[in-house]
Amino acid sequence: MKKRRGVSYEMNIKYRKRMWTVCVLYILGLNICQTAGQDNSTQMYYVKLVVEESAIPNITAALTPFVKNPSVNVYDLKITTRCEVDKDVTRRCSCEPPFRWSDRLCQKCCGKPSCTVTGKTAGICVSNESESIWGSITLIKREYYNCLKEKESEEFMRCNTFLLEAMKAVYSTMVGFDTLRIRKYRVGSVIADFEMIFAYSIKQQNLIEKSDFMSSSLSASINLETSGVVRLIMPSQNPVCNYDKPNLTCTVREDLRSTPVWQLKRAGTVLEIFNGTQADVTDITMGTKVSLKRISALWAGLFPFLTDDAYMADVVASCNNSYDKPIVMCTFRNKCKEERTALTAVHLIYANDHFCPADGHWKDTKAGFEAVLKCQTGERKRKCSADGTWEKESSTCVKQQVHDVLQEAEIIDIGLGSLDDNSAKVFSLLQNVTSDSATINTSPDINTTVSVFSILTQKIQSIDDKLTVDNFLESSSNILDSSLKESWTKQPDVGNLSLAERYLDSLEQLIHKTNLCHARKQENLDAAISNCRQSSECSATVLNNSVVLVGQDPGDVKTAGFRELGQYLPQENETFINSVIVSVTTENQLASVEVRIKFALIKHRPRNVEIKCVAWDNNTRSWSSKGCEWDPSDKGLASCICRHLSSFAVLMSKAPMDIPGLRELTLVGLSVSVSSLILTLAIELAVWSSVVRTDQSFIRHTAHVNICLCLLVADSCFLAALNPIYQNEEMWCRIFVLLKHFSYLAVFFWMFSLSSMLLLNNVFVFHALSRKTYLRLSMVLGYACPSLIVVITFLYYNNGAEGDYYSSDTCWLRYAGLLKGSIHTFVVPVGAIALFNTFSMVVVIIKLLDNSATTNRYNEKEKKAAVSVVRSVILLTPIFGVTWIFGFAVMLVDLTSGPIAFVVHYAFDLLNTFQGFYILLTTCLADKQIREVLLNQIRRNEAASVTDSTTK
């Protein structure tokens, strides 16, 4: 077996009177570790020799006699390094071709023709063909478990020595073998990390064969990473300057039959380099090239020649009297002689100037100027007003962890790492940041988070990884948390778009690019996908809102629901969003489409409030009802039909619909009614003694007086509630509702008293009631029963709370649906009394028409009085009954249903507000007996006036 030895050396030139040279000699010598049947083993030895400079050309011949072993050869000596030793014993060295600076010195010396070297000189220059190999070997056998013990232990030393020599025995047979060392052991069975260095290039196939043999002999698996198999051509300039565009070329000496990959190692992470906005990766013959189009600190790491901008500053301050304020100019200059200039003005506070005194961190500031404090990411501003007082502070400071996510989003496409991996990292960071609302609880934080979505919208093409999809949807939902409302609403608009518009636009585009097949529902955002390739109609449900799309081959239909977002989008002051926002997109462009959405309303829609189905118009930046219509047939839901794709919602008015002229008509009618009721009471008092002669007339006029009194109170309360002074006062509104509730019930119960007494007197003819008894029973029916109903209703509905017992919009009882709401405590008694009055009229009329019965029971006066009572019941029942029939219709007919609703409201208003006037006409002026009494009194007054004048 022939042994080989090779020598290379490093030469130092020392300038003295006597010329001496210090050489470092590398001897490729015999390694005693050999295995039977393997090739010759090699090993590198380091020997330091001092020789004269004149002996350098004959160094090979001079060294040959020192090698006594005939099986060892010294051959192919080359100068690797030439060094000059100064008087201060510092060495300035340079590498001789074909050698280069070693990896240990590259960051300091690469790109320089010579470099100052301290410490050992061995190995500072290495062959361009040298190769380093890092690897790990996983050992399964139990005999290697001792390698995990303490390094000082005997078991570890034996195990380590055995494994090291076994590996050297195989790899040292490769030409150029220099060193092999085991760096550490770790758990995972037993894993040994090792490093090998070869002085010359090696064949990859040879390395693979040796590794396979090693794996087989040790029953282990081996993982290798090589350096030196390829040649890296770098820029000669060091450092690389700010405006440079360096090219890095990597070539191989043999076809590796694999796709080359550029990587950057930085801060313990490995990033793959792709084509991007700052890097171009191109394949060349037997190699690859990367061109960096923009230099920044992001590319520092694997390429040590890339450095941060380091600037020196020269400050020039000028206090020129020709200027109102001094100007400070700063010129920044880096090592590459590149310059940047910045100007700033110094605002001086003179003796007579107004200024804001220092307040905490804020220093003295001249009036009319703005103080600025820098924070880590952003700035704080505070204006000093013209009179020298501080205004409110504004801040654009963003929390560091939120700003870090924005920075990561901005560089996902520069080529440093794959786009998919980088976007996954950003969404993961964003999910972690937004999971705690306290981290994004300021307007700048929300704005920065939305900016992340906007940036990702422009950069990424698709989101397919399930974990990435979940992180994206969860972070999108987190920033819609209701606790962040103030942060959304305080944020000023950026450019032409509001914060909510930017969020909606970004989310629509990102969701369109996202694979939603296994998306999880989030608290404030729900997204779903429907495959409609085989049908023209598909459906989905998001946040309890059902969506049906009808179109010809829409492809994948993606639907998303956003909670809370509606209140942040621009809208008119008279309306508000009363549903979640539902966005619908399709994979294919459609010539025509119909989207049917059943919205679950957030707040119940009163029947007197207008509702619209709307879609967001990006051109006008507002909600538009164009192409959308509302189907009012669904109870409790808002069914919308739209004939285009967009983001949809339900818009509801804050105030009831305005019926033209209704308020004016109400004011006139109530005024006339109040005046008429006062006049009616005055007439009753004036004619009381003349017309109340019988029991029947007593019953009638007593009821009339109490009905007028109650209706007067109710109409006065209605009139007062229309006054703007009381409309917004909750206490007054509640009082008016109580009085109206009681008074209107009392009106109907007095009518019930009147008709029931009339029925009693006509049916039970031998059981006539006295006036005193009638009065007691009437007071119980007329006032006690309404009071009991009102009190029970008040207590039942949360002690008369607004929204339960009454509505502040109308200052009247609340209607919440069929047999729902406090209004039914009025409607049910009124309906029952109206039916009873109708029954009573029919019975009494039949009795009066029976001549034999009436002749035996009544005298002529009693009969006339009974007829008057019947006439009153007949007239009053329609007045009140028909009025409240229209009142029931007002509750049931929706104002949005068209002209019929307006007709019903006008009819009810005319009948209800003029009730006092109708009572005056029917019960007083239309009564012949009352007219005669009034005329007689007028004549007597006129006669008395004439007599008095004659006497005078």
Side-chain angles (χ1 to χ4, degrees):
M1 183 179 294
K2 188 72 172 178
K3 303 177 180 62
R4 299 173 299 181
R5 175 169 293 180
V7 178
S8 63
Y9 65 92
E10 175 186 289
M11 181 174 66
N12 298 302
I13 302 176
K14 194 172 182 179
Y15 289 93
R16 296 181 181 177
K17 291 181 180 179
R18 297 177 66 187
M19 301 299 292
W20 290 91
T21 301
V22 178
C23 300
V24 178
L25 183 66
Y26 302 100
I27 301 176
L28 190 64
L30 173 67
N31 190 327
I32 61 173
C33 301
Q34 298 185 21
T35 57
Q38 296 296 312
D39 296 334
N40 294 336
S41 297
T42 61
Q43 185 168 345
M44 191 73 68
Y45 291 90
Y46 300 88
V47 179
K48 185 175 182 180
L49 301 176
V50 179
V51 297
E52 287 189 2
E53 185 178 10
S54 59
I56 293 176
N58 302 315
I59 190 66
T60 301
L63 288 177
T64 302
F66 291 97
V67 181
K68 302 297 184 180
N69 192 335
S71 63
V72 176
N73 295 326
V74 177
Y75 66 95
D76 196 20
L77 289 168
K78 293 180 180 178
I79 297 177
T80 64
T81 311
R82 191 179 292 269
C83 297
E84 299 176 3
V85 182
D86 296 332
K87 292 181 181 180
D88 56 358
V89 199
T90 59
R91 291 188 295 266
R92 189 162 191 83
C93 304
S94 60
C95 293
E96 292 292 308
F99 295 90
R100 58 178 173 82
W101 297 111
S102 65
D103 292 342
R104 175 171 61 90
L105 292 176
C106 186
Q107 184 167 4
K108 176 183 176 183
C109 302
C110 281
K112 297 179 180 179
S114 63
C115 190
T116 300
V117 179
T118 59
K120 295 180 179 181
T121 56
I124 62 176
C125 292
V126 296
S127 172
N128 285 333
E129 298 180 352
S130 67
E131 297 181 7
S132 299
I133 298 174
W134 297 269
S136 62
I137 180 169
T138 303
L139 305 161
I140 302 174
K141 292 182 178 180
R142 296 182 61 86
E143 60 191 84
Y144 295 106
Y145 285 5
N146 289 333
C147 290
L148 298 175
K149 293 187 176 182
E150 295 293 332
K151 291 185 178 180
E152 294 77 12
S153 66
E154 184 178 348
E155 294 89 344
F156 171 82
M157 293 180 180
R158 283 200 303 269
C159 179
N160 181 65
T161 302
F162 175 79
L163 179 62
L164 184 61
E165 293 191 356
M167 295 178 67
K168 282 183 177 181
V170 175
Y171 288 116
S172 65
T173 60
M174 297 177 65
V175 176
F177 175 80
D178 185 355
T179 61
L180 185 152
R181 68 184 183 93
I182 297 176
R183 296 186 298 154
K184 65 177 180 178
Y185 293 95
R186 49 194 172 94
V187 178
S189 294
V190 177
I191 302 176
D193 296 328
F194 62 92
E195 178 184 6
M196 292 187 295
I197 297 177
F198 290 85
Y200 306 109
S201 63
I202 60 174
K203 295 291 185 179
Q204 290 297 299
Q205 188 60 37
N206 191 16
L207 177 63
I208 294 172
E209 291 173 357
K210 299 297 183 184
S211 298
D212 289 342
F213 177 80
M214 173 69 69
S215 177
S216 176
S217 62
L218 296 180
S219 299
S221 60
I222 298 178
N223 180 39
L224 297 177
E225 179 182 341
T226 63
S227 172
V229 176
V230 299
R231 183 187 179 197
L232 180 64
I233 303 173
M234 303 180 296
S236 60
Q237 181 179 350
N238 188 19
V240 175
C241 296
N242 189 59
Y243 299 107
D244 288 347
K245 297 180 179 180
N247 294 322
L248 305 176
T249 304
C250 184
T251 60
V252 294
R253 291 185 290 270
E254 59 179 297
D255 188 1
L256 301 182
R257 296 187 179 93
S258 63
T259 302
V261 174
W262 284 94
Q263 291 182 333
L264 171 66
K265 293 183 179 180
R266 181 183 65 197
T269 60
V270 178
L271 301 173
E272 190 172 343
I273 300 175
F274 295 85
N275 285 317
T277 58
Q278 294 185 16
D280 281 335
V281 179
T282 55
D283 293 333
I284 60 177
T285 304
M286 297 293 287
T288 179
K289 183 174 78 170
V290 60
S291 302
L292 301 182
K293 296 180 284 187
R294 179 185 173 190
I295 293 299
S296 69
L298 296 171
W299 294 96
L302 176 64
F303 314 121
F305 52 85
L306 295 182
T307 61
D308 296 333
D309 289 344
Y311 288 95
M312 302 293 291
D314 296 330
V315 180
V316 180
S318 172
C319 296
N320 193 326
N321 292 330
S322 62
Y323 296 96
D324 293 333
K325 49 187 177 291
I327 304 296
V328 174
M329 181 179 70
C330 295
T331 300
F332 299 91
R333 187 178 301 109
N334 64 13
K335 294 178 181 178
C336 298
K337 309 301 183 182
E338 297 169 335
E339 292 186 356
R340 291 182 182 176
T341 301
L343 298 175
T344 184
V346 179
H347 304 289
L348 300 179
I349 302 176
Y350 296 97
N352 297 324
D353 287 346
H354 290 288
F355 70 95
C356 294
D359 180 16
H361 294 98
W362 302 99
K363 305 301 181 182
D364 295 342
T365 301
K366 192 172 183 178
F369 289 87
E370 190 174 55
V372 179
L373 294 178
K374 294 291 184 181
C375 46
Q376 192 169 7
T377 52
E379 58 187 17
R380 298 162 59 195
K381 295 181 180 180
R382 196 176 184 188
K383 181 73 178 291
C384 179
S385 62
D387 59 354
T389 58
W390 285 110
E391 295 181 2
K392 190 175 180 181
E393 174 187 340
S394 63
S395 173
T396 60
C397 296
V398 180
K399 294 183 181 65
Q400 185 61 51
Q401 54 266 51
V402 180
H403 183 70
D404 291 344
V405 180
L406 178 64
Q407 288 185 314
E408 290 290 340
E410 289 173 340
I411 63 171
I412 66 169
D413 63 338
I414 65 172
L416 198 54
S418 72
L419 191 59
D420 290 340
D421 291 342
N422 290 343
S423 60
K425 178 183 177 182
V426 171
F427 281 124
S428 178
L429 293 172
L430 193 60
Q431 187 275 330
N432 291 331
V433 167
T434 59
S435 60
D436 183 5
S437 59
T439 309
I440 52 172
N441 60 354
T442 66
S443 296
D445 291 330
I446 291 291
N447 179 54
T448 302
T449 306
V450 173
S451 297
V452 172
F453 289 121
S454 301
I455 291 172
L456 295 176
T457 299
Q458 305 301 322
K459 294 179 180 291
I460 64 178
Q461 303 301 319
S462 63
I463 307 175
D464 297 312
D465 180 70
K466 184 180 185 302
L467 181 59
T468 305
V469 172
D470 290 340
N471 288 334
F472 158 53
L473 296 177
E474 186 173 350
S475 56
S476 305
S477 172
N478 290 340
I479 68 170
L480 292 177
D481 190 83
S482 58
S483 63
L484 301 173
K485 179 178 180 180
E486 187 175 352
S487 301
W488 278 90
T489 53
K490 280 189 175 181
Q491 176 65 38
D493 292 354
V494 179
N496 295 323
L497 296 179
S498 68
L499 186 60
E501 287 177 271
R502 291 165 52 211
Y503 173 84
L504 179 60
D505 180 63
S506 301
L507 264 292
E508 283 182 334
Q509 296 184 55
L510 287 174
I511 288 174
H512 187 66
K513 301 175 181 179
T514 302
N515 183 354
L516 299 174
C517 290
H518 303 287
R520 291 188 293 111
K521 179 181 179 181
Q522 306 297 328
E523 182 178 357
N524 299 305
L525 188 151
D526 190 8
I529 184 172
S530 302
N531 190 321
C532 302
R533 301 180 188 276
Q534 303 300 326
S535 97
S536 61
E537 180 176 315
C538 58
S539 61
T541 300
V542 290
L543 296 177
N544 299 322
N545 299 268
S546 63
V547 181
V548 176
L549 182 140
V550 180
Q552 189 64 38
D553 189 23
D556 289 338
V557 177
K558 294 179 180 178
T559 308
F562 304 90
R563 192 173 276 131
E564 304 290 341
L565 182 61
Q567 58 188 317
Y568 309 138
L569 285 166
Q571 54 195 277
E572 298 177 356
N573 292 329
E574 295 79 15
T575 58
F576 69 97
I577 296 297
N578 195 28
S579 69
V580 302
I581 293 177
V582 174
S583 173
V584 182
T585 59
T586 60
E587 180 183 8
N588 302 327
Q589 294 288 337
L590 302 178
S592 63
V593 65
E594 181 177 280
V595 182
R596 306 170 190 162
I597 308 176
K598 288 189 176 182
F599 286 100
L601 297 179
I602 298 173
K603 292 181 64 177
H604 172 73
R605 184 193 72 86
R607 290 187 172 274
N608 58 343
V609 172
E610 186 178 14
I611 192 172
K612 287 183 179 179
C613 294
V614 292
W616 183 255
D617 190 332
N618 289 316
N619 296 324
T620 62
R621 295 183 54 222
S622 62
W623 292 107
S624 172
S625 59
K626 184 178 180 180
C628 294
E629 59 186 35
W630 171 51
D631 180 8
S633 60
D634 282 336
K635 306 298 181 183
L637 295 173
S639 294
C640 297
I641 300 176
C642 296
R643 292 174 176 81
H644 57 82
L645 297 177
S646 182
S647 294
F648 307 100
V650 171
L651 205 63
M652 195 166 84
S653 299
K654 294 180 180 179
M657 289 182 64
D658 184 25
I659 302 177
L662 190 64
R663 179 182 175 85
E664 291 75 13
L665 180 61
T666 302
L667 286 171
V668 172
L670 289 175
S671 300
V672 172
S673 185
V674 168
S675 301
S676 299
L677 289 171
I678 293 174
L679 182 58
T680 300
L681 290 172
I683 292 173
E684 286 286 354
L685 291 175
V687 301
W688 183 270
S689 58
S690 300
V691 297
V692 179
R693 300 288 180 85
T694 63
D695 293 340
Q696 298 286 349
S697 60
F698 177 81
I699 293 173
R700 173 197 171 196
H701 288 282
T702 300
H704 284 179
V705 169
N706 283 278
I707 288 172
C708 290
L709 282 172
C710 293
L711 191 58
L712 179 62
V713 172
D715 286 350
S716 298
C717 290
F718 254 120
L719 199 59
L722 295 175
N723 192 324
I725 297 176
Y726 303 114
Q727 279 184 337
N728 297 323
E729 292 289 338
E730 183 177 338
M731 181 188 70
W732 282 110
C733 189
R734 184 179 301 179
I735 291 173
F736 291 150
V737 173
L738 281 170
L739 290 175
K740 288 188 287 186
H741 190 191
F742 169 78
S743 299
Y744 279 125
L745 281 176
V747 167
F748 279 91
F749 272 97
W750 271 104
M751 286 183 59
F752 173 67
S753 172
L754 180 63
S755 60
S756 60
M757 294 306 162
L758 180 63
L759 179 64
L760 182 63
N761 288 338
N762 281 275
V763 174
F764 303 101
V765 294
F766 298 107
H767 296 83
L769 296 177
S770 64
R771 295 185 181 185
K772 188 176 182 179
T773 303
Y774 165 73
L775 191 59
R776 289 175 179 173
L777 291 175
S778 296
M779 288 296 176
V780 172
L781 287 173
Y783 294 115
C785 291
S787 299
L788 186 62
I789 294 174
V790 171
V791 169
I792 293 174
T793 304
F794 185 86
L795 295 175
Y796 179 79
Y797 286 99
N798 199 14
N799 292 325
E802 193 277 332
D804 292 326
Y805 175 63
Y806 72 98
S807 170
S808 59
D809 296 332
T810 59
C811 273
W812 182 229
L813 300 175
R814 184 171 173 271
Y815 174 74
L818 186 61
L819 297 179
K820 297 179 181 178
S822 57
I823 188 66
H824 293 90
T825 61
F826 173 75
V827 171
V828 173
V830 166
I833 291 173
L835 290 175
F836 180 79
N837 287 351
T838 304
F839 171 74
S840 299
M841 284 189 301
V842 173
V843 174
V844 172
I845 290 172
I846 292 173
K847 288 289 184 181
L848 290 175
L849 293 175
D850 188 353
N851 291 327
S852 60
T854 54
T855 301
N856 295 332
R857 176 69 183 88
Y858 295 109
N859 56 34
E860 190 63 29
K861 290 183 179 181
E862 290 285 351
K863 185 175 180 180
K864 289 181 178 180
V867 172
S868 298
V869 172
V870 173
R871 186 179 67 242
S872 295
V873 173
I874 293 173
L875 292 173
L876 289 176
T877 297
I879 289 174
F880 293 108
V882 173
T883 297
W884 287 103
I885 288 174
F886 280 96
F888 302 153
V890 165
M891 293 189 300
L892 298 176
V893 176
D894 200 311
L895 281 176
T896 59
S897 58
I900 185 65
F902 286 80
V903 172
V904 170
H905 274 77
Y906 283 125
F908 173 69
D909 201 66
L910 283 170
L911 294 173
N912 187 50
T913 58
F914 284 93
Q915 279 181 343
F917 179 67
Y918 300 146
I919 290 175
L920 174 65
L921 292 178
T922 57
T923 62
C924 289
L925 300 182
D927 190 299
K928 183 178 179 182
Q929 185 181 9
I930 293 177
R931 289 202 308 273
E932 290 176 352
V933 172
L934 285 174
L935 290 173
N936 290 336
Q937 288 184 355
I938 292 172
R939 293 190 189 101
R940 284 199 301 271
N941 291 336
E942 290 178 352
S945 176
V946 172
T947 303
D948 183 60
S949 300
T950 303
T951 304
K952 292 180 178 180

